[in-house]
Amino acid sequence: HKHEIFGNFAIGMDETKNFVFFHKLANDEVIEQSVDLGEIQSCKVINTSRMLKSRDGGSQKVIDRLQLSFIPLTKTKPGIKMEFFNSEVSIRLNGELQLIEKWSKLINDHLNHMK
């Protein structure tokens, strides 16, 4: 029902079957993930960042990794993470932060509607 292709990855959600699908090409490796939203409590953005000191004495926040994390209803099941950005693979952000926040909201809105 909803999908987006962005750079080296694609994400989509089937609202009828309650699934999220993710496909990414990174370093000639294909990563494919699917999540059954019926088994998920919530979705959140994991923003791994650090502060860098600049030459003028100030500091700047640098994002190293952006992941969409799915928290399962069952506490014993592991969470699922979809990596939207990794500074070791891509040199700079190009809209991934806005995109991951958009999808986190879309998925959480859908989860709340399912309850």
Side-chain angles (χ1 to χ4, degrees), residues 26-65:
N27 297 330
D28 295 328
E29 179 186 351
V30 175
I31 300 163
E32 292 181 325
Q33 295 171 284
S34 62
V35 177
D36 180 351
L37 295 178
E39 298 178 2
I40 299 300
Q41 174 185 340
S42 65
C43 172
K44 69 177 185 175
V45 174
I46 297 177
N47 181 339
T48 306
S49 57
R50 57 193 158 94
M51 297 301 288
L52 283 182
K53 298 211 183 242
S54 58
R55 292 180 187 170
D56 63 5
S59 60
Q60 179 181 357
K61 184 177 180 179
V62 177
I63 296 174
D64 288 325
R65 180 179 283 173

Side-chain angles (χ1 to χ4, degrees), residues 56-115:
D56 63 5
S59 60
Q60 179 181 357
K61 184 177 180 179
V62 177
I63 296 174
D64 288 325
R65 180 179 283 173
L66 289 173
Q67 296 172 302
L68 198 55
S69 177
F70 294 85
I71 293 91
L73 288 167
T74 308
K75 303 290 181 212
T76 56
K77 286 192 174 184
I80 299 166
K81 293 178 183 170
M82 296 175 175
E83 186 176 82
F84 277 49
F85 174 78
N86 185 329
S87 63
E88 293 178 9
V89 178
S90 301
I91 297 171
R92 64 191 322 169
L93 284 166
N94 191 26
E96 289 90 348
L97 181 59
Q98 294 80 5
L99 190 71
I100 199 169
E101 288 172 347
K102 170 188 166 183
W103 276 92
S104 176
K105 181 178 180 345
L106 280 171
I107 293 165
N108 280 313
D109 287 350
H110 183 74
L111 288 169
N112 289 333
H113 181 72
M114 286 172 51
K115 294 176 182 175

Side-chain angles (χ1 to χ4, degrees), residues 6-25:
F6 192 88
N8 64 341
F9 67 87
I11 186 168
M13 180 168 49
D14 183 328
E15 294 176 330
T16 306
K17 297 193 184 210
N18 298 317
F19 267 85
V20 171
F21 301 95
F22 186 74
H23 178 92
K24 182 176 182 178
L25 178 64

